[in-house]
């Protein structure tokens, strides 16, 4: 399976910032300063459900999810990590990896029912991206 | 890693019915007739986050998640499948695999923000469990 024809959904592009490319997936930071929230988007055209990926890509996705949980743990030291693949709004496959704190804006509910996103201030976004990029480089899936 | 010391959290037990045991995980049906909703609970003591599982168990969990999406597809033919590992309320690791329809009670929102569960009628629960058990036997992870 190749990346030919892959194009990031415009809603995913608008709602998040590029962090880095890992094997298979593009890592992005959701534009919501309330939560340490990464998105993993497989660079594959036309994939929506797990069974749309071949065996090698599923293994790579699993490794990327594990690595992303370690990145969020490293950067944000949350109380819990939420991992989800939903796709009800944007069908293009993307995995949410979200650090949660017992005092955050949605706890114990989910981040998808937490109201409007809060934008990062420009310098805060730059600092967050730098922190995630450093952690993604150090903890990249092999 | 052994199953020694594994005990199902009483909230998971109360909120779902036993379907079958697969390698690593117990498969359960959530008591909510609005959604075709399976839970996968690794039979491991003290695991909450992905990195609490060893490599072999993570591979088994990935295979179980894939198989469960096939079971839900087979039984319910949904429009989309949601997969999530949250654990904000019950820390014991459990993966939600939920078939979604564009006309269901929560679409396009998530099932965790969909209000009160609707109980199965007794005969409907028995029929659902029979259907899921048959599909789980046919589509079990190898």
């Amino acid at each position: 399976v190749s990346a030919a024809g892959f194009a990031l959904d415009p809603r995913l592009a608008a709602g998040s910032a590029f962090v880095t490319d890992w094997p298979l997936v593009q890592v992005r930071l959701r534009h919501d300063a309330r939560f340490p929230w990464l998105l993993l988007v497989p660079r594959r055209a036309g994939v929506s459900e797990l069974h749309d990926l071949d065996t090698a890509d599923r293994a790579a996705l699993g490794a990327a999810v594990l690595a992303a949980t370690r990145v969020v743990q490293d950067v944000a030291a949350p109380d819990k990590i939420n991992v989800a693949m939903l796709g009800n709004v944007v069908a293009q496959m993307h995995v949410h990896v979200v650090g949660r704190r017992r005092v955050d804006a949605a706890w114990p509910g989910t981040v998808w029912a937490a109201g409007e996103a809060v934008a990062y201030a420009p310098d805060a976004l730059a600092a967050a991206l730098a922190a995630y990029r450093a952690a993604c480089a150090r903890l990249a899936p092999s």
Side-chain angles (χ1 to χ4, degrees), chain A:
Chain A
V1 182
S2 84
F6 168 74
L8 187 65
D9 183 281
R11 288 160 295 182
L12 294 181
S16 60
F18 177 82
V19 175
T20 193
D21 276 320
W22 273 350
L24 182 64
V25 302
Q26 184 170 117
V27 183
R28 302 184 63 86
L29 178 67
R30 195 83 164 79
H31 285 310
D32 191 338
R34 301 174 300 168
F35 308 106
W37 185 342
L38 296 180
L39 298 178
L40 306 176
V41 187
R43 292 187 301 278
R44 294 287 182 259
V47 303
S48 182
E49 301 286 3
L50 266 186
H51 51 252
D52 295 332
L53 295 175
D54 66 22
T55 304
D57 280 355
R58 278 198 303 270
L61 182 64
V65 168
L66 177 66
T69 67
R70 287 176 167 148
V71 166
V72 168
Q73 189 70 46
D74 186 77
V75 170
D79 298 311
K80 187 70 190 72
I81 298 176
N82 295 169
V83 176
M85 182 162 44
L86 304 173
N88 305 341
V89 177
V90 175
Q92 179 174 65
M93 181 180 284
H94 56 288
V95 181
H96 304 266
V97 178
V98 194
R100 303 298 309 280
R101 296 193 183 88
R102 294 191 188 89
V103 295
D104 74 25
W107 188 270
T110 72
V111 294
W112 306 282
E116 291 298 301
V118 173
Y120 282 94
D123 56 344
L125 179 60
L129 287 172
Y132 283 106
R133 280 178 189 136
C136 281
R138 199 168 60 253
L139 300 167
S142 50

